[in-house]
Amino acid sequence: MNYFGVSGPKELVEVLDRQDYVADEGLATALYLAIALERPLLLEGDAGVGKTEVAKAVSTWLGVPLIRLQCYEGIDVSQAVYEWDYSRQLLHIRTRELVRGVESDENLEQLEDELFSERFLVRRPLLRALDSENYTVKDSELLPPVLLIDEIDRADDEFEAYLLEILSENAVTIPELGRLTSERAPITILTSNRTRDVHDALKRRCLYHWVEHPSFDRELEIIKRKAPGVSEVLVSQVATITQEVRRLGVYKPPGIAEAIDWARSLSLLGSDEIDAEVFAKTLGVLVKYREDEARVKDLDLSSLIRTALERVK
Ligand SMILES: Nc1ncnc2c1ncn2[C@@H]1O[C@H](COP(=O)(O)OP(=O)(O)OP(=O)(O)O)[C@@H](O)[C@H]1O
Ligand SMILES: [Mg+2]
């Protein structure tokens, strides 16, 4: 079946590639199915493996808005869904008093209706994701926006419970206004670094994919795209060493972002190749814990550099 012009995971890999997102087939399959079944996709994985970026790539591919909800401890409905604009409501009451007065019961009722109308509603990301304004019609097909619920593991349990209604019913209930819904579910991507486990109830409503660190070839390709102009040899060395650092089982394995930053930093410093000296100087771009720095210093750097050189030949 064809969804937004894409007939399967392989084609989705190509489409994302055009947005400079280099996906493997596992991720593309999960994403394709989430789009086809109109189900949210929960992406879990270490930091910097490309979870957030994939939502951005989907939104640029479709040319639809990316609506992002960054989760944090204590996030609640007023930040995530909606709240009433109290100061504007107050100002409205004042103005009404001055102009017409509010003495009769009828007037009071009317005033209340006015105060709790869409005019004074502040729409937060989850509500905006259902708003027709963010739905685009292209070739007579309704394209939903991409909703990114980023780092859900940082939010509290109660907030997760609240999300259940929105994700399974594609609707929000506002007591004063009723139930608001959209014709089509937004393309929803949730991400988690797994600092705690997401509840089963939420997981059941989502498709799930664990995002692995990239293979050497994929990492090489990503660095080339995101750090253009860096020499082939340097990119190969960065990718080879980064992969090996991850294998060491360090406390915080470097993500793709670190590898890209490292390649850029080396290039900025004018290094054409990595050697022991430049490695020691720039290590802080790759690993960010003292214990990890100590472990990384044990790497057999010269043999890694040789391997990297052979890989570009
Ligand atoms: N598959 C990919 N293709 C292209 N670029 C990628 C890919 N994966 C990661 N990147 C690059 O790595 C950077 C980090 O990715 P991203 O922010 O998506 O990671 P994350 O998994 O969301 O990390 P965190 O858990 O720390 O939020 C991005 O800015 C992007 O440039
Ligand atoms: Mg992220």
Side-chain angles (χ1 to χ4, degrees), residues 40 126 149 152 157-171 190 198-206:
L126 295 181
I149 303 175
I152 179 68
D157 293 1
E158 302 90 75
F159 182 69
E160 227 183 80
Y162 185 83
L163 269 184
L164 292 178
E165 184 205 346
I166 301 185
L167 294 185
S168 49
E169 315 224 342
N170 192 32
L190 296 100
V198 171
H199 277 225
D200 283 347
L202 185 60
K203 276 196 171 164
R204 256 191 292 122
R205 282 159 180 85
C206 302

Side-chain angles (χ1 to χ4, degrees), residues 16-17 19-24 27 43-57 68 70 148 150-151 153-154 191-194 211-212 214 218 221-223 225-226 255-260 264:
L16 293 174
D17 190 87
Q19 322 306 318
D20 277 339
Y21 189 88
V22 190
D24 63 16
L27 173 61
L43 296 178
E44 270 190 337
D46 284 349
V49 290
K51 304 181 296 294
T52 301
E53 189 78 5
V54 73
K56 296 183 190 168
R68 180 174 185 168
Q70 173 64 54
L148 169 63
D150 217 7
E151 305 185 352
D153 49 332
R154 292 190 188 207
T191 79
S192 162
N193 273 356
R194 214 176 171 195
V211 187
E212 294 280 358
R218 204 156 64 82
E221 187 56 34
I222 297 171
I223 302 172
R225 303 281 182 97
K226 299 286 160 111
I256 301 170
E258 277 78 13
I260 296 169
R264 282 196 190 134

Side-chain angles (χ1 to χ4, degrees), residues 33-45:
L33 291 176
I35 289 173
L37 300 171
E38 290 196 36
R39 294 278 292 279
L41 175 62
L42 171 61
L43 296 178
E44 270 190 337

Side-chain angles (χ1 to χ4, degrees), residues 3-122:
Y3 295 93
F4 308 127
V6 162
S7 64
K10 280 209 172 87
E11 220 177 311
L12 190 53
V13 169
E14 287 165 23
V15 161
L16 293 174
D17 190 87
R18 273 177 245 138
Q19 322 306 318
D20 277 339
Y21 189 88
V22 190
D24 63 16
E25 237 181 278
L27 173 61
T29 305
L31 184 59
Y32 177 76
L33 291 176
I35 289 173
L37 300 171
E38 290 196 36
R39 294 278 292 279
L41 175 62
L42 171 61
L43 296 178
E44 270 190 337
D46 284 349
V49 290
K51 304 181 296 294
T52 301
E53 189 78 5
V54 73
K56 296 183 190 168
V58 172
S59 93
T60 46
W61 155 43
L62 293 172
V64 298
L66 173 70
I67 299 172
R68 180 174 185 168
L69 177 69
Q70 173 64 54
C71 298
Y72 53 86
E73 210 183 317
I75 190 171
D76 62 10
V77 173
S78 69
Q79 293 308 309
V81 195
Y82 74 96
E83 66 180 332
W84 294 104
D85 190 338
Y86 291 118
S87 46
R88 281 192 58 219
Q89 282 174 322
L90 270 178
L91 208 65
H92 185 70
I93 297 174
R94 282 274 170 81
T95 322
R96 274 287 302 265
E97 273 173 351
L98 285 174
V99 179
R100 283 187 267 167
V102 282
E103 53 298 331
S104 79
D105 283 354
E106 201 183 305
N107 275 356
L108 260 179
E109 229 170 77
Q110 196 194 343
L111 177 64
E112 214 176 277
D113 283 349
E114 277 170 22
L115 289 177
F116 293 101
S117 64
E118 302 226 355
R119 190 172 157 199
F120 295 105
L121 186 67
V122 183

Side-chain angles (χ1 to χ4, degrees), residues 281-293:
K281 275 192 199 148
T282 56
L283 196 53
V285 185
L286 195 65
V287 288
K288 304 192 176 158
Y289 283 81
R290 208 166 160 213
E291 297 78 3
D292 289 348
E293 253 186 37

